[in-house]
Amino acid sequence: LSVLYFFTYGLMTVDPVGWQLGSICIKANAQSCGECIQVSETCGWCTDENFLTVGESKSARCDDLESLKKRNCNEAKIENPRGGVTIDKDKPVTDRKKDKAEKLKPEQITQIQPQKLTVTLRSDEPQTFRLKFKRAEDYPIDLYYLMDLSFSMEDDLENLKNLGTDLMKEMQAITSDFRIGFGSFVEKTVMPYISTTPARLINPCTGNQNCTSPFSYKNVLKLTNNGAEFNRLVSQQQISGNLDSPEGGFDAIMQVAVCEEQIGWRNVTRLLVFSTDAGFHFAGDGKLGGIVLPNDGKCHLENNIYTMSHYYDYPSIAHLVQKLSDHNIQTIFAVTEEFQPVYKELKNLIPKSAVGTLSSNSSNVIKLIIDAYNSLSSEVILENGRLPEGVSITYKSICKNDVVGTGENGRKCSNISIGDEVYFNISIESKKCPSNGKSEIIKIKPLGFTEEVELVLNFICDCQCASKGEPNSAKCHEGYGTFECGACKCNEGRIGRVCECSKDEVRTEDLDANCRKDNGTDICSNNGDCVCGTCECKKRENPAEVYSGKYCECDNFNCDRSNNKLCGGHGRCECRKCICDTNYTGSACDCSLDTTSCLAKNGQICNGRGTCECGSCKCTNAKFQGPTCEICPTCPGVCAEHKECVQCRAFKAGEKKSTCEQDCKYFNLITVKDRENLPQPTDQSFPLTHCKERDANDCWFYYTYAVRNDTKEVYVVEKLDCPRGPDIIPIVAGVVAGIVLIGLALLLIWKLLMIIHDRREFAKFEKEKMNAKWDTGENPIYKSAVTTVVNPKYEGK
């Protein structure tokens, strides 16, 4: 049981990641070391013969490394083989200059390093290595020009008559080792692609045009470094014709790719220039001519002419991609503007290919080839062969200017100049052992290049200790098994920890009786299986929870809980009973024996008014409360409690003046001159209380109360602090002066208000005066003092 405790407690105390890893190993129920190490790279197998205890199954030997150590498995007894990477061939990349006199053969030039590695893989353990790629200067180039010779390409053919020598001159700036070849194609020689009338088979063109007989594909010139020969043979070519618009170019591309010997390909950079002004037929189109056999992807050139066009269908795009990749051929589609969209879509399906716009008469073909080559050669893309089942590979590129690519972009680097070095970090991981357990070989290569890296994959499918197994060992019940890695590996038909039972007798009544506790009815307490008369306890979903015991009657997860924690988080659960940590007790380890939390400020446990139980004070007197029994809501304060006795002893006054000697002798009294001489709390190592009280005459007295070594001490200021009486004269003078000042202020305010009022009235009067209008009529009772009489006889003479 003690060993089981270490096993359980070890799992419970590891970090969350370790717990999850442990659960993976345990849940796998591995019956051998080989099965164990296939579960995860973190799983190990304990080979110690005495490692298992009662109730543990053989699979308990498989666990994560930390848990095995915690379960007392010696580190030297833990089988945990590791994978690795070994470099077998590491030839440095070539540092070569074009202007040097030294000329190397293509096979002497190295652009990728290393060239061969052995990778040992264990399940779920990735292995990483780095590849270096460097573009070599003056690398040889083979270029094959494949041209559509249907009638619409007549003017284009005329412009190619000097292509050989002109292109060689231009390519001198790139490489000193350049070869060129030429081939042509038209269409399958069956209806409805061409006219099969005898006259049209001789001359498929109309009018006075002199055309050659139709053909599928013709290898006109094998790859050569003789540009003049290229010009001569191209000049001899004639245009042909067909009926439909799409051409049979895919048949020609397939033959150019697979007929290496006839074309003359070397293991160098291989370029195929495909020139046309029309679309293409692909797989399935052959049915129009009654051709149903799929293209076989083999070479069928006789006298440099494709002879099976009438027998095999056109190849599919996927078939072309495979063959072009297998033969490291980079394709340049030189097509007219009209068919640019079609061939750009095709380019997206064919790795390491480019599309250039061909002028109507192919006059720009040299510039097109140079530009396309520069574009293709400035990019490196890694691809790998078929991977074994369960093996995965990931790429991470470190390109020019430390640009990092991951995922699909991790396979490639762009904008690489000659002499630039780029790196690829490649990680390989296996999820399981192959069924045959044998080594596998895969190859990684840059597309369009002939060089490749060979990877030999070895798989760790069993432990080293398995090779030292003892067949028919005496340790395995009469030799019914092989003793390996500390445990018995039973022969066919035998089971049990030491192969002690036959599968036919595994559930007999006699054996089951050995698995019943106290002759009860439950087999293995319903927590396990009876195997050969021995209980093997069940495993829980949570591997930290285990059943144990001879009859699986114990477990480590059904103990009492406190605060929703097993054993209160202060103990471990053994056989459904809490084993508490130091300083903890109780059925759920929820009772602390530590009295630190019960110490009061005065250093006493619970202020001397109670006992400390489970880390909390239990006050003996019900009137006291608080964490340390320091609060008494119904008790007077310390100062009020001792006020009368201090007053009577220090000042011979107060209510206890007559009984002072009897009631107030329980403390020592010490007088001081002033308050500054009273003891301060920071000066003492014992509790001290400062008090300020008032007597019947409204005088204040100050004192301190303390308990030192069970002796009560009172320090009191010897003089009372009485308030002084009021000074009458200043008070009366102040009141009179205040009344006078208030009166003067009121008079000033009244006078100010009257002045403001008078000014407003006068202004109003002046305004009305200016606005007044006087009546100028005469007084009706007014009579003038002068009377004027007119002589009636006066005539004015």
Side-chain angles (χ1 to χ4, degrees):
L1 287 178
S2 62
V3 177
L4 281 176
Y5 153 64
F6 283 119
F7 161 59
T8 302
Y9 194 62
L11 281 176
M12 292 173 65
T13 54
V14 295
D15 59 87
V17 176
W19 183 91
Q20 294 171 357
L21 295 175
S23 69
I24 294 173
C25 305
I26 294 172
K27 286 180 180 179
N29 199 30
Q31 297 299 309
S32 68
C33 185
E35 292 180 17
C36 178
I37 63 174
Q38 298 305 312
V39 178
S40 171
E41 63 167 325
T42 60
C43 297
W45 178 271
C46 184
T47 61
D48 188 351
E49 295 181 37
N50 303 315
F51 177 66
L52 298 180
T53 58
V54 176
E56 283 190 297
S57 64
K58 193 190 306 182
S59 62
R61 292 180 178 275
C62 182
D63 205 344
D64 71 273
L65 305 181
E66 289 301 319
S67 293
L68 288 176
K69 294 175 185 177
K70 290 178 184 288
R71 293 169 58 192
N72 290 343
C73 183
N74 191 305
E75 190 171 354
K77 295 284 188 178
I78 298 176
E79 278 284 329
N80 182 37
R82 314 305 297 180
V85 177
T86 304
I87 298 177
D88 302 321
K89 185 178 180 181
D90 194 23
K91 184 180 177 182
V93 293
T94 302
D95 187 10
R96 178 192 184 202
K97 301 297 182 181
K98 190 177 70 170
D99 53 358
K100 287 187 177 180
E102 179 189 11
K103 295 298 179 183
L104 300 177
K105 296 180 180 179
E107 57 270 18
Q108 294 177 310
I109 300 175
T110 302
Q111 298 185 106
I112 193 166
Q113 178 189 2
Q115 296 79 40
K116 184 177 180 180
L117 304 96
T118 298
V119 182
T120 303
L121 294 175
R122 176 181 167 180
S123 293
D124 205 33
E125 181 188 26
Q127 297 296 331
T128 302
F129 58 92
R130 170 172 282 198
L131 294 184
K132 177 167 73 173
F133 180 86
K134 179 180 179 181
R135 276 190 63 192
E137 187 173 355
D138 196 26
Y139 195 72
I141 299 174
D142 284 352
L143 184 146
Y144 192 85
Y145 197 95
L146 183 59
M147 183 175 180
D148 175 9
L149 283 188
S150 59
F151 186 76
S152 58
M153 296 288 285
E154 182 179 14
D155 55 344
D156 300 79
L157 180 60
E158 185 67 26
N159 283 317
L160 294 182
K161 290 182 178 180
N162 295 319
L163 176 64
T165 53
D166 293 345
L167 185 57
M168 281 198 159
K169 290 178 182 178
E170 293 291 335
M171 295 300 287
Q172 288 297 321
I174 299 174
T175 177
S176 60
D177 188 357
F178 176 72
R179 299 198 310 167
I180 189 170
F182 183 81
S184 59
F185 66 90
V186 181
E187 187 56 277
K188 288 185 180 294
T189 55
V190 296
M191 281 287 289
Y193 312 111
I194 67 167
S195 175
T196 56
T197 61
R200 291 298 184 193
L201 286 175
I202 296 173
N203 184 358
C205 301
T206 58
N208 296 324
Q209 296 290 338
N210 186 19
C211 298
T212 189
S213 300
F215 57 92
S216 176
Y217 162 66
K218 184 188 300 182
N219 178 28
V220 178
L221 176 64
K222 188 176 180 178
L223 288 163
T224 178
N225 55 9
N226 189 344
E229 181 67 9
F230 180 92
N231 293 346
R232 185 183 68 81
L233 289 176
V234 170
S235 300
Q236 296 175 2
Q237 300 305 303
Q238 288 183 293
I239 293 297
S240 185
N242 61 320
L243 296 179
D244 61 343
S245 176
E247 314 294 0
F250 277 14
D251 272 342
I253 293 176
M254 177 62 74
Q255 293 304 301
V256 171
V258 299
C259 298
E260 288 197 356
E261 184 178 350
Q262 291 86 337
I263 302 300
W265 292 117
R266 298 178 296 171
N267 286 330
V268 297
T269 298
R270 299 176 175 182
L271 300 179
L272 170 60
V273 179
F274 182 83
S275 176
T276 184
D277 63 351
F280 48 82
H281 285 296
F282 52 88
D285 287 354
K287 292 180 180 180
L288 296 173
I291 303 172
V292 295
L293 283 179
N295 195 289
D296 65 351
K298 296 180 180 179
C299 182
H300 297 288
L301 289 185
E302 294 183 12
N303 296 323
N304 287 323
I305 295 177
Y306 179 38
T307 58
M308 301 297 286
S309 67
H310 64 287
Y311 191 76
Y312 288 115
D313 193 6
Y314 301 98
S316 66
I317 295 175
H319 200 181
L320 275 184
V321 170
Q322 178 193 345
K323 292 300 180 181
L324 290 172
S325 176
D326 289 345
H327 295 274
N328 303 307
I329 296 174
Q330 305 177 61
T331 311
I332 301 172
F333 295 105
V335 297
T336 54
E337 182 72 33
E338 179 184 358
F339 288 94
Q340 281 286 308
V342 175
Y343 282 90
K344 283 183 178 178
E345 290 296 326
L346 182 61
K347 167 191 172 293
N348 295 332
L349 301 175
I350 301 179
K352 291 295 282 186
S353 62
V355 178
T357 303
L358 190 67
S359 62
S360 58
N361 59 1
S362 296
S363 59
N364 67 331
V365 67
I366 293 180
K367 183 179 184 304
L368 185 153
I369 292 173
I370 298 296
D371 292 345
Y373 169 75
N374 289 332
S375 174
L376 290 173
S377 61
S378 66
E379 182 178 54
V380 58
I381 303 175
L382 295 187
E383 69 166 3
N384 53 267
R386 185 189 64 82
L387 296 173
E389 184 180 0
V391 175
S392 61
I393 186 168
T394 57
Y395 294 84
K396 178 182 178 182
S397 59
I398 300 93
C399 304
K400 192 175 180 179
N401 299 324
D402 294 327
V403 176
V404 176
T406 56
E408 281 303 310
N409 290 329
R411 290 176 173 266
K412 61 184 179 181
C413 283
S414 302
N415 300 321
I416 304 173
S417 303
I418 292 175
D420 288 342
E421 292 184 357
V422 295
Y423 299 89
F424 295 90
N425 290 337
I426 302 175
S427 180
I428 300 182
E429 183 176 357
S430 174
K431 291 299 182 184
K432 63 178 183 178
C433 258
S435 54
N436 56 15
K438 296 181 180 179
S439 298
E440 298 276 355
I441 295 178
I442 65 172
K443 294 184 178 180
I444 299 175
K445 68 175 183 178
L447 284 174
F449 295 86
T450 57
E451 297 174 69
E452 59 188 15
V453 178
E454 181 179 313
L455 301 181
V456 179
L457 303 184
N458 295 327
F459 299 90
I460 301 176
C461 297
D462 211 339
C463 302
Q464 291 182 355
C465 58
S467 62
K468 303 175 183 178
E470 303 174 20
N472 304 319
S473 173
K475 298 179 180 179
C476 300
H477 190 71
E478 300 180 0
Y480 284 126
T482 300
F483 188 78
E484 63 179 42
C485 302
C488 284
K489 188 174 182 180
C490 299
N491 296 338
E492 186 67 28
R494 304 294 297 186
I495 58 174
R497 185 188 287 188
V498 290
C499 313
E500 65 271 28
C501 286
S502 168
K503 287 184 178 179
D504 299 331
E505 359 175 280
V506 68
R507 289 304 306 269
T508 63
E509 288 298 324
D510 292 338
L511 291 175
D512 286 351
N514 295 328
C515 297
R516 293 188 176 97
K517 184 180 180 181
D518 300 330
N519 294 325
T521 58
D522 294 336
I523 295 178
C524 299
S525 306
N526 289 330
N527 296 325
D529 299 317
C530 187
V531 180
C532 300
T534 303
C535 284
E536 289 192 0
C537 302
K538 294 178 181 178
K539 294 179 180 178
R540 302 269 296 175
E541 184 69 23
N542 181 355
E545 299 177 354
V546 294
Y547 293 107
S548 59
K550 180 179 180 181
Y551 302 102
C552 303
E553 73 278 13
C554 295
D555 63 59
N556 66 342
F557 53 88
N558 274 322
C559 291
D560 291 342
R561 294 175 179 267
S562 178
N563 295 326
N564 203 29
K565 294 181 179 179
L566 192 67
C567 298
H570 302 300
R572 61 185 183 275
C573 182
E574 287 187 10
C575 205
R576 304 185 179 183
K577 183 178 180 181
C578 285
I579 306 299
C580 299
D581 296 340
T582 306
N583 288 332
Y584 283 94
T585 187
S587 63
C589 301
D590 53 351
C591 183
S592 174
L593 300 178
D594 186 7
T595 59
T596 304
S597 58
C598 295
L599 287 177
K601 294 180 180 179
N602 59 10
Q604 295 179 316
I605 293 178
C606 301
N607 269 303
R609 300 165 181 162
T611 59
C612 187
E613 298 180 8
C614 298
S616 300
C617 284
K618 301 293 183 182
C619 303
T620 53
N621 192 330
K623 70 179 182 178
F624 291 101
Q625 302 174 8
T628 55
C629 303
E630 75 279 12
I631 301 173
C632 181
T634 59
C635 298
V638 172
C639 295
E641 182 180 357
H642 304 291
K643 170 186 175 182
E644 298 297 336
C645 285
V646 172
Q647 189 178 8
C648 78
R649 289 189 59 182
F651 305 107
K652 311 298 182 184
E655 297 180 1
K656 292 187 177 183
K657 179 179 179 181
S658 58
T659 61
C660 192
E661 292 295 329
Q662 295 80 16
D663 298 341
C664 300
K665 60 182 181 179
Y666 59 88
F667 60 84
N668 295 332
L669 182 69
I670 301 98
T671 58
V672 296
K673 289 186 178 181
D674 49 43
R675 291 169 60 184
E676 286 72 16
N677 295 328
L678 289 174
Q680 301 300 318
T682 55
D683 301 336
Q684 310 299 324
S685 58
F686 47 85
L688 179 71
T689 303
H690 275 255
C691 298
K692 176 184 178 183
E693 296 293 336
R694 186 163 54 183
D695 61 12
N697 298 321
D698 288 334
C699 294
W700 295 96
F701 59 95
Y702 302 91
Y703 67 94
T704 62
Y705 179 83
V707 180
R708 175 163 42 183
N709 298 327
D710 295 330
T711 301
K712 298 178 176 64
E713 295 180 347
V714 173
Y715 285 77
V716 62
V717 178
E718 62 184 9
K719 291 184 179 180
L720 294 170
D721 184 7
C722 297
R724 300 169 66 181
D727 194 343
I728 301 300
I729 295 176
I731 293 175
V732 172
V735 170
V736 172
I739 293 173
V740 172
L741 290 175
I742 292 171
L744 290 174
L746 292 175
L747 285 175
L748 289 174
I749 293 170
W750 175 82
K751 180 63 176 176
L752 179 62
L753 292 175
M754 290 304 296
I755 291 172
I756 293 171
H757 179 265
D758 289 347
R759 287 184 178 181
R760 286 179 177 174
E761 289 297 321
F762 182 75
K764 182 178 179 182
F765 169 76
E766 288 292 330
K767 183 177 180 181
E768 291 179 350
K769 178 180 177 182
M770 292 177 64
N771 293 335
K773 294 182 180 180
W774 302 98
D775 191 2
T776 56
E778 294 183 356
N779 190 343
I781 62 174
Y782 172 76
K783 288 187 179 289
S784 176
V786 179
T787 303
T788 302
V789 179
V790 179
N791 185 359
K793 294 294 185 178
Y794 178 69
E795 297 180 351
K797 295 181 181 180

